[in-house]
Amino acid sequence: PVTLTNTSTTVPLAISSINVSANFTVDMSKTTCGASLAAGKSCTIDVAFSPTTTGSLTGTLTVDDSTSSGSQTVSLSGAGLTTVQYVQDVMVTQVESLGLNHGQTRSLVKQLLDAAKLISEGKINGAIGNLEQFIAEVNDLAGSGNLTQQQATTLIGEANAVIKSLE
């Protein structure tokens, strides 16, 4: 989130719009800024990185308001990854950092790498199957106390997000 603060001690800040450039989104249901911000108060703008391409990407958050300049801007940046890169790089690294025993780590990593290979070959149903097996194995590890519920929830959420992106 980005925090917007009205530094005036007496004058409320009128906010006419909140916009972001391509590759970023604002979730207004999680944004606490409304049409006016009282003097000395702050609100948050929920900005998410939603890349439409790969590579290093930049953007801008613009808040049109009643200040003398008429707007405030924040520079945004992120790195867009392909689904295969995300699974191979981000998810595998997370699994390897969990402190599981070698066999558990190897099994989860194998599910992810197999899914990434199938995605790169265009075998989407097979990849989804591997990711579903990954989710089942994560649930088993959480149920046996080898993973915390928070760790399991994070991994399952990421696997489900990958599945959703493939459907």
Side-chain angles (χ1 to χ4, degrees):
V2 175
T3 301
L4 176 66
T5 301
N6 182 356
T7 58
S8 171
T9 57
T10 57
V11 180
L13 179 69
I15 300 171
S16 56
S17 68
I18 299 172
N19 297 294
V20 287
S21 56
N23 298 306
F24 296 89
T25 58
V26 173
D27 184 344
M28 292 308 290
S29 70
K30 294 179 182 176
T31 295
T32 62
C33 300
S36 180
L37 183 58
K41 298 295 181 184
S42 297
C43 61
T44 59
I45 303 167
D46 191 74
V47 179
F49 182 55
S50 304
T52 56
T53 187
T54 60
S56 181
L57 304 169
T58 60
T60 305
L61 164 68
T62 304
V63 179
D64 293 318
D65 58 33
S66 59
T67 60
S68 59
S69 66
S71 66
Q72 310 303 312
T73 60
V74 176
S75 295
L76 305 170
S77 63
L81 301 174
T82 66
T83 302
V84 170
Q85 288 171 322
Y86 183 78
V87 171
Q88 287 177 330
D89 298 342
V90 176
M91 292 183 71
V92 167
T93 299
Q94 285 179 323
V95 167
E96 291 173 339
S97 71
L98 293 173
L100 297 168
N101 72 42
H102 178 72
Q104 294 164 333
T105 299
R106 188 178 51 148
S107 180
L108 289 174
V109 167
K110 182 177 180 346
Q111 293 293 345
L112 293 173
L113 293 178
D114 287 351
K117 183 175 187 284
L118 290 166
I119 293 166
S120 69
E121 295 171 350
K123 298 175 181 172
I124 302 307
N125 289 335
I128 290 172
N130 274 83
L131 291 166
E132 288 170 343
Q133 289 175 345
F134 172 84
I135 290 169
E137 196 168 332
V138 167
N139 275 322
D140 289 345
L141 289 168
S144 64
N146 290 297
L147 288 176
T148 67
Q149 195 56 50
Q150 181 179 355
Q151 290 170 322
T153 299
T154 298
L155 292 171
I156 290 167
E158 291 181 0
N160 279 325
V162 172
I163 291 170
K164 184 177 178 184
S165 76
L166 297 172
E167 293 176 331

